[in-house]
């Protein structure tokens, strides 16, 4: 028998033992059913709280990633704008130099 089957067997036995213990407890049936219902309600609430916490964590991480992405995109656009202006300035200077060379060649 593998280790996981042993663990599953122990857990199943514990659950069955707990259920049998509750059902044969000296309390009235109504009290026992209320205890069972309250236990399920508590577990449901706890599970809902854990789900909400996990959901908040995921939303927070995605929100941070979105802000990082937007910031990176804005930086990329700003760098592209600076690069574009540098290229235009270099081309204008080169054009000016070429016009000066052409004018000098025409004078000779």
């Amino acid at each position: 028998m593998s280790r996981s089957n042993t663990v599953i067997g122990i857990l199943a036995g514990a659950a069955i033992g707990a259920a049998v213990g509750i059902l044969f407890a000296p309390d009235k049936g109504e009290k026992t059913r209320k205890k069972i219902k309250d236990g399920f309600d508590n577990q449901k609430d706890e599970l809902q709280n854990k789900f909400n916490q996990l959901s908040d964590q995921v939303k927070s991480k995605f929100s941070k990633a979105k802000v990082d992405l937007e910031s990176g995109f804005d930086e990329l656009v700003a760098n592209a704008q600076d690069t574009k202006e540098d290229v235009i300035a270099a081309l204008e200077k080169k054009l000016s130099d070429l016009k000066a060379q052409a004018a000098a060649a025409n004078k000779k």
Side-chain angles (χ1 to χ4, degrees):
M1 191 180 215
S2 72
R3 187 176 189 162
S4 63
N5 287 341
T6 303
V7 171
I8 291 171
I10 291 171
L11 291 176
I16 292 170
V20 169
I22 290 173
L23 293 175
F24 287 105
D27 283 340
K28 291 181 180 179
E30 185 177 318
K31 281 186 177 182
T32 302
R33 286 190 294 275
K34 181 168 176 23
K35 284 181 184 178
I36 293 171
K37 181 185 178 306
D38 290 345
F40 282 129
D41 289 343
N42 290 341
Q43 290 298 319
K44 183 181 100 176
D45 291 343
E46 187 176 326
L47 186 60
Q48 183 66 40
N49 289 338
K50 287 182 181 181
F51 176 78
N52 289 338
Q53 288 174 352
L54 180 62
S55 176
D56 291 343
Q57 288 175 351
V58 169
K59 286 177 186 177
S60 174
K61 288 188 186 227
F62 277 118
S63 177
K64 184 181 181 311
K66 179 183 173 191
V67 168
D68 290 346
L69 181 64
E70 288 173 349
S71 174
F73 182 74
D74 290 344
E75 188 175 323
L76 179 65
V77 169
N79 288 340
Q81 183 70 23
D82 292 343
T83 303
K84 177 185 83 168
E85 291 171 3
D86 291 344
V87 168
I88 290 172
L91 289 173
E92 287 175 343
K93 183 177 183 320
K94 187 67 173 174
L95 181 61
S96 174
D97 291 345
L98 289 173
K99 284 182 181 178
Q101 288 175 359
N106 282 339
K107 284 187 178 181
K108 290 184 179 180

